[in-house]
Amino acid sequence: QVHLVESGGGVVQPGRSLRLSCAASGFIFSRFGMHWVRQAPGNGLESVAVVSHDGNEKYYADSMKGRFTISRDNSRNTLDLQMDSLKAEDTALYYCVRDGQKGYNDLDFWGQGTLVTVSS
Amino acid sequence: DVVMTQSPLSLPVTLGQSASISCRSSQNLVHSDGNTYLNWFQQRPGQSPRRLIYKVSNRDSGVPDRFSGGGSGTEFTLKISRVEAEDVGVYYCMQGAHWPPTFGQGTKVEIK
């Protein structure tokens, strides 16, 4: 079955960088778009970025544009999120989410998340 | 961004009774392909979100038929009939018709 495992979270100072990864298994990774979605502690859900199945198209939420970069390696079945110039408000649990094939922004399977804490 | 507004935000229910959650979007969720991209997710305590319903009314595999979705345009509803203890959690609606996908604030379902 679909399995998504995020890693790379941790505590980082404001202004520094962090790189998250997601290892995918149980499906043909190269056929599916992939999202990052985050959830601040005790709060709701917020889209971060999406990348197309082949990596050629990428979209970002406005508050992350210019600071975050989504990428993928279909040879290794991995999804990454490079986060630069981190701010306290970026503190959240970051989920890797598959975009299914039932239409647009079809967020069907979620990983368990990796926690990012931005604090001095 | 499309704003998704859920009500109520807290929903105490009696076991075996029904529950209903409303979701309103600030824009029409009918895509140019003719589909309406409104999903419902369940997040149990300490777990990741799990999708229950896609495109308004389609249940995902393994979702009990106690869960049903309906609505159109900008007004949508999730109904849970015969609430069970395992239904406790936070329920989110999400629109996928416009980038970025946006979520409602969440409705916390608890047992009375």
Side-chain angles (χ1 to χ4, degrees):
Chain A
Q1 71 258 27
V2 175
H3 203 45
L4 301 168
V5 179
E6 302 90 339
S7 61
V11 180
V12 61
Q13 293 178 328
R16 303 299 292 263
S17 299
L18 203 62
R19 189 176 186 90
L20 306 182
S21 289
C22 170
S25 60
F27 64 103
I28 301 174
F29 183 69
S30 60
R31 293 186 180 177
F32 292 82
M34 296 295 296
H35 294 252
W36 286 100
V37 176
R38 70 185 184 183
Q39 185 169 33
N43 282 2
L45 298 159
E46 181 183 23
S47 293
V48 173
V50 64
V51 61
S52 60
H53 68 96
D54 56 9
N56 288 336
E57 294 183 61
K58 302 174 184 180
Y59 297 94
Y60 300 90
D62 284 347
S63 60
M64 290 76 160
K65 223 175 274 186
R67 297 191 302 124
F68 289 9
T69 304
I70 190 171
S71 62
R72 65 188 297 159
D73 185 337
N74 285 346
S75 67
R76 294 171 52 234
N77 290 354
T78 56
L79 172 73
D80 287 343
L81 184 69
Q82 176 67 37
M83 303 186 296
D84 299 322
S85 304
L86 283 162
K87 307 174 182 179
E89 51 265 39
D90 294 319
T91 293
L93 187 62
Y94 284 73
Y95 293 104
C96 165
V97 188
R98 191 182 81 165
D99 194 317
Q101 296 177 330
K102 292 185 171 67
Y104 288 87
N105 296 310
D106 183 41
L107 281 68
D108 61 358
F109 286 98
W110 298 57
Q112 288 302 305
T114 186
L115 182 62
V116 173
T117 303
V118 183
S119 173
S120 54
Chain B
D1 296 356
V2 177
V3 176
M4 305 297 288
T5 304
Q6 289 182 230
S7 63
L9 300 184
S10 178
L11 185 55
V13 294
T14 302
L15 287 173
Q17 295 299 104
S18 295
S20 182
I21 302 170
S22 293
C23 176
R24 175 178 295 176
S25 59
S26 62
Q27 297 180 34
N28 194 299
L29 300 185
V30 179
H31 193 271
S32 55
D33 68 358
N35 290 301
T36 301
Y37 292 104
L38 186 284
N39 300 337
W40 288 96
F41 294 87
Q42 174 195 62
Q43 187 172 32
R44 290 172 171 152
Q47 295 187 13
S48 304
R50 167 201 181 196
R51 196 176 67 182
L52 301 174
I53 302 283
Y54 63 94
K55 286 192 280 187
V56 181
S57 59
N58 297 276
R59 265 190 306 276
D60 274 283
S61 175
V63 174
D65 60 7
R66 301 182 290 104
F67 292 89
S68 63
S72 63
T74 62
E75 302 273 352
F76 305 92
T77 303
L78 175 71
K79 292 183 179 174
I80 313 171
S81 59
R82 306 180 307 279
V83 169
E84 299 184 4
E86 66 176 20
D87 299 335
V88 164
V90 180
Y91 291 78
Y92 296 93
C93 60
M94 184 216 92
Q95 68 80 21
H98 309 276
W99 178 261
T102 47
F103 298 82
Q105 318 97 301
T107 296
K108 187 172 184 178
V109 172
E110 57 185 11
I111 304 301
K112 278 183 187 174

